[in-house]
Amino acid sequence: MVSEGEDWKQVEIPALEPVTPPTAALPTAAPPTAGSAPPALRQLRLSPAARHILDTHGLDPHQATASGPRGIITKEDALNLLSKASAVPPPAAAPAPPAAPPAARPTHPPASAPARPAAPGTFTEIPASSVRRIIAQRLTQSKTTIPHTYACIHCDISGVMRVRKRLAEENIKVSVNDFIIKAAAVSLRELPAVNVSWSADGPQPLGFIHISMAVATDRGLITPIIRDAADKGLQEISSTAKALAQKARDGKLLPEEYQGGSFSVSNLGMFGISEFSAVINPPQACILAVGGSRTELSLSAEDTLQTQHTLTVTLSSDARLVDDELASRFLETFRLNLERPERMSLQA
């Protein structure tokens, strides 16, 4: 091996060193007869790459044909030997030798052959759709340009479950996610400092409360918008959410139905996720990640055990717009609205 600019003819060649092949790989030779001299081992010169290949695959360097200057075995010589060894089929099993007499030296099993390198894996390249490319671009933009901060809080939704049961008796079906969207919208109205977005000129207060809800489709995640959610009742939020989710799965959303939201809600509770952190949807300031509900034991005001339904929500916020103190106040307001559904107007 020579450095750039050096002439290999002027490089000092290191002293030769004999290479003794592994004992297990050599066949048993007949004892030398009187007057015969033992055969001399061929002196070998190997390049570092060739030595590595031969050692890795357990090949005898004496079987390689040297093509390098001054009889050096090069990397190509080692690869040629490796290809020849891989192409040769394993020898057929020889018939069992006759039983040795008791006084004979016991035979030893042959050394195991070195393992061949595994065949390289194959893969199928799937081209990204235009929707997937846009999602990837926006997520990369969000995680590289927005300083995310996270805060989570546990909410008792036992009151929500009671209201749902009462509404179901009146044949009004609403989901827990409908209550969450309503609670988020009402909380934004109570804390307008959170209802902002980031523009080229800095913070921009928003005069509307449009909640973007994440919907998973075969083409990727999309966020249809429930406009003026704070002014809608639960039943209207529920019917709007169902219609938008179906249009999203069918790929029939209009641009104005998924562009221009002010706050996002992503719910993975129906998939068995207890809690998670979501990526902010720019230019919005926050996204609320909702986990699944669970039943827990708690102490009542009378110091008696009672069961309650609890879920965990995590707020991802843009630290340029919503600091930790403001994020904490928003989560506390959200929990208060969700745990006491009567604080929220059920009708517009």
Side-chain angles (χ1 to χ4, degrees):
M1 303 290 290
V2 298
S3 303
E4 184 177 357
E6 293 183 358
D7 186 359
W8 65 269
K9 297 180 181 179
Q10 304 298 329
V11 175
E12 181 180 354
I13 304 299
L16 303 179
E17 55 176 305
V19 178
T20 305
T23 305
L26 295 176
T28 304
T33 59
S36 63
L41 292 175
R42 179 164 64 96
Q43 301 295 323
L44 296 177
R45 295 177 177 174
L46 292 85
S47 70
R51 185 184 300 276
H52 175 72
I53 294 174
L54 296 176
D55 291 345
T56 301
H57 298 278
L59 299 177
D60 184 0
H62 290 82
Q63 299 179 2
T65 302
S67 63
R70 303 186 185 182
I72 294 179
I73 298 177
T74 64
K75 173 183 177 182
E76 288 74 17
D77 301 331
L79 292 176
N80 289 336
L81 180 60
L82 176 61
S83 63
K84 292 179 182 178
S86 301
V88 175
R105 184 178 180 179
T107 59
H108 297 279
S112 60
R116 296 182 180 179
T122 59
F123 66 93
T124 302
E125 184 174 352
I126 302 176
S129 64
S130 58
V131 175
R132 291 282 185 182
R133 291 183 184 275
I134 294 175
I135 293 174
Q137 179 183 1
R138 292 181 62 83
L139 291 179
T140 303
Q141 173 194 357
S142 177
K143 292 296 289 185
T144 55
T145 64
I146 298 178
H148 284 56
T149 58
Y150 307 96
C152 65
I153 198 169
H154 305 299
C155 303
D156 180 6
I157 59 170
S158 300
V160 169
M161 305 304 287
R162 289 192 294 268
V163 173
R164 287 187 66 206
K165 183 178 180 180
R166 187 168 65 248
L167 292 176
E169 293 173 353
E170 301 175 11
N171 203 24
I172 300 176
K173 296 182 180 180
V174 292
S175 67
V176 174
N177 201 55
D178 299 329
F179 283 88
I180 292 171
I181 291 174
K182 178 67 175 182
V186 172
S187 301
L188 288 174
R189 184 164 58 187
E190 296 179 17
L191 289 174
V194 183
N195 192 37
V196 294
S197 66
W198 184 266
S199 65
D201 299 328
Q204 179 180 355
L206 302 176
F208 52 85
I209 300 177
H210 299 338
I211 303 298
S212 303
M213 61 173 191
V215 177
T217 69
D218 295 337
R219 292 170 294 278
L221 196 68
I222 194 168
T223 53
I225 297 170
I226 300 179
R227 297 183 176 275
D228 301 318
D231 299 327
K232 286 182 168 62
L234 281 173
Q235 191 172 2
E236 186 177 0
I237 288 177
S238 178
S239 59
T240 303
K242 291 177 182 177
L244 289 174
Q246 188 59 48
K247 291 184 68 175
R249 297 186 184 97
D250 295 339
K252 297 180 179 179
L253 283 176
L254 300 176
E256 60 268 21
E257 291 177 321
Y258 61 86
Q259 295 177 357
S262 58
F263 186 95
S264 292
V265 173
S266 180
N267 191 339
L268 294 181
M270 65 286 295
F271 299 108
I273 303 301
S274 57
E275 59 181 281
F276 68 104
S277 300
V279 181
I280 297 173
N281 185 17
Q284 297 176 10
C286 300
I287 182 171
L288 191 68
V290 184
S293 63
R294 57 193 181 275
T295 303
E296 296 179 342
L297 286 176
S298 64
L299 283 175
S300 66
E302 294 78 18
D303 291 336
T304 59
L305 285 177
Q306 63 179 9
T307 59
Q308 68 179 35
H309 297 275
T310 306
L311 60 78
T312 302
V313 298
T314 303
L315 182 70
S316 304
S317 54
D318 185 343
R320 300 171 300 181
L321 299 168
V322 180
D323 58 23
D324 293 340
E325 188 272 338
L326 181 58
S328 300
R329 285 198 289 129
F330 175 83
L331 284 176
E332 185 61 33
T333 303
F334 170 82
R335 178 170 65 179
L336 185 61
N337 285 321
L338 189 62
E339 291 184 349
R340 301 178 182 176
E342 62 273 8
R343 295 185 78 246
M344 303 183 297
S345 175
L346 299 183
Q347 300 296 329

